[in-house]
Amino acid sequence: QSALTQPASVSGSPGQSITISCTGTSNDVGNYNLVAWYQEHPGKAPKLMIYEASKRPSGVSDRFSGSKSGYTASLTISGLQAEDEGDYYCCSYAGNSAYVFGTGTKVTVL
Amino acid sequence: QMQLVQSGAELRKPGSSVKLSCKASGGTLTRYGLNWVRRAPGQGLEWMGGILPIFGTAIYAHKFQGRVTSIADESTNTAYMEVSSLRSEDTAVYYCATKYSNDAFDLWGQGTMVYVSS
């Protein structure tokens, strides 16, 4: 169960859009639509932003959207705001009740 | 509304064990199951394993098999995870999390900091 691959960092100016990729294998992302995205701020528990690749939980801004194609899932943040700064992790179901997280991406708002 | 409340910070010496708890309220662990995720300093989130709903079967990531034990106490609605043979690399914040309203970890405990140092 190797970690899913994410870019180490992504940055953008306020109002811009950014996209974070998450690449897996046929054992996880490529075989299941159960990809989730989490936002993490220092000292706080992770927060679910996207589940089942493209669904948004209640209360999450519609500036956050997700997609998946083949072995790669993506999280797009539109209209970037200062509060969006933080670490973002993808997570995929990997079969047999197991999960695997991505390597994490630090988002910086310039 | 379901909540998960975790035990307090722990300091352990290398080679020892630590047992963490996660108490659920407003919902039963047997219905939702419970997962454990950790975040070591400078590292990313890491799924460790957990308890499956209904039957309470424990499951572990390959990396932690043989060194981690997860159980659930139905009478107190509390899950426990014991990590043995601790090493410095196990210094991390340990979270419990469950799939409450969505098919993803949407409910998290506040985290427990574990320090492993001689």
Side-chain angles (χ1 to χ4, degrees), chain B residues 7-9 11 13-14 30-31 36 38 40 42-43 47 50-53 56 61-62 68 70 75 82 88 93:
Chain B
S7 48
L11 172 61
K13 293 188 182 302
T30 51
R31 174 177 178 181
W36 294 93
R38 77 177 186 181
Q43 305 294 314
W47 180 79
I51 304 289
L52 298 180
H62 293 321
V68 170
S70 296
S75 66
E82 184 169 24
S88 58
V93 178

Side-chain angles (χ1 to χ4, degrees), chain B residues 4 7 10 40 43 48 54 59 83 85-86 90-91 93 101 107 110 118:
Chain B
L4 301 175
S7 48
E10 303 274 7
Q43 305 294 314
M48 300 180 67
I54 303 176
I59 183 164
V83 185
S85 302
L86 287 167
D90 293 318
T91 293
V93 178
S101 300
L107 183 64
Q110 83 277 20
S118 54

Side-chain angles (χ1 to χ4, degrees), chain B residues 9 20 25 43 46 48 62 77-78 80 82 84 110:
Chain B
L20 311 178
S25 61
Q43 305 294 314
E46 188 171 29
M48 300 180 67
H62 293 321
N77 209 23
T78 301
Y80 299 89
E82 184 169 24
S84 61
Q110 83 277 20

Side-chain angles (χ1 to χ4, degrees), chain B residues 2-7 20-29 34 36 73-80 96 107-110 112:
Chain B
M2 189 171 180
Q3 289 186 326
L4 301 175
V5 179
Q6 299 185 236
S7 48
L20 311 178
S21 69
C22 174
K23 183 173 177 58
S25 61
T28 59
L29 292 177
L34 198 285
W36 294 93
D73 183 339
E74 288 186 42
S75 66
T76 60
N77 209 23
T78 301
Y80 299 89
C96 58
L107 183 64
W108 295 70
Q110 83 277 20
T112 295

